[in-house]
Amino acid sequence: RRQYRSAMWFFLRWGPCYGRHVAKKNKAYLDGLAEEDVAAWAADFVARRLLPRVRPVMRDRLNGHRRAGDLLVLLTGTPSFIAAPLAAGLGTGDWIATRCAAAAGRFTAAPPQTHPFGREKLQRAAELGNRHGLSLSESVAYADSHYDLPLLSYVQRPVAVFPDRGLERAARRYDWEIIDGDHRSS
C-alpha cells in the first residue's frame, strides 16, 4: 500500500513540474523498499527474463563493436538496479541509468537523482564522450523510442532498433538504419 500511495502522490505533487512525462519520472513505487532487496530481485529478473530475450541481431552487433574495440555503454532511462545486471550480461564496459532517490539503504518517493531520458540522455552521452575523449559525431547509438531522438540526431550513425512508431517515422525520414525483426534495412 505504501508504494501505491507514494506513486499516486508523486503524480499529484510532481505532475505540474514534469507534465506529460511525470509517469516516466515516477519511481515512487519503490518507496520504503530496501535497495539491496530490489537489486537482488532485479538481478534475478534480468537473468531469467531480459537477457534471454536479447535478439541474436543485437548480440551480433555488440560482438562486432567489441571486436572493433569500441567503447560499449548502456545508456538507459531504466533504473540502475536493472541496468547494472543487464550491462554485465550484455558485456558492456559501462552503463548510465536512472538513479532512484534513496536514503539509509531504502528508496524514497522523491524524484530520481538522475534520469537519462530525452534531452538528459543526450547530455549524459556528451558527458561520457568528454570523459573518454570521444565525440558524439563519431559515435553509434541504438534506440527504440522516439524519446531518444535528441541523442540519435547528434550521433554519426543512429540506428532504430525495433522502433516505436515515432522513431520509425523519423528513421525513415532521415534514412537511418532500422533493425526490425532479425533483419536490417536502411
Side-chain angles (χ1 to χ4, degrees), residues 4-166:
Y4 178 78
R5 282 192 311 269
S6 294
M8 292 302 106
W9 178 247
F10 189 97
F11 280 109
L12 294 172
R13 166 68 179 87
W14 294 100
C17 178
Y18 296 125
R20 67 176 200 216
H21 299 302
V22 67
K24 296 270 187 203
K25 297 285 186 182
N26 190 348
K27 308 301 182 223
Y29 57 84
L30 297 165
D31 188 28
L33 298 177
E35 290 180 279
E36 187 175 291
D37 291 343
V38 172
W41 298 330
D44 180 62
F45 172 75
V46 168
R48 285 187 311 103
R49 302 294 295 240
L50 292 185
L51 287 171
R53 295 180 71 187
V54 176
R55 304 216 179 157
V57 66
M58 290 314 300
R59 289 196 185 276
D60 292 346
R61 286 291 178 107
L62 289 170
N63 288 333
H65 287 294
R66 208 174 281 109
R67 282 190 302 275
D70 296 338
L71 173 67
L72 295 176
V73 178
L74 175 62
L75 176 57
T76 179
T78 198
S80 59
F81 51 79
I82 292 175
L86 183 58
L90 294 174
T92 65
D94 201 357
W95 54 269
I96 298 171
T98 298
R99 284 189 340 183
C100 299
R106 295 200 170 271
F107 290 106
T108 70
Q113 296 168 332
T114 61
H115 184 220
F117 171 74
R119 292 217 169 271
E120 187 174 335
K121 187 178 275 192
L122 171 60
Q123 178 185 349
R124 299 287 173 211
E127 291 168 359
L128 178 74
N130 288 338
R131 278 198 310 272
H132 290 279
L134 302 170
S135 168
L136 289 181
S137 64
E138 300 170 348
S139 300
V140 178
Y142 295 86
D144 65 354
S145 170
H146 68 281
Y147 293 116
D148 296 322
L149 285 170
L151 173 62
L152 293 173
S153 296
Y154 276 86
V155 297
Q156 178 184 32
R157 200 166 127 224
V159 182
V161 181
F162 306 99
D164 64 18
R165 267 190 224 155

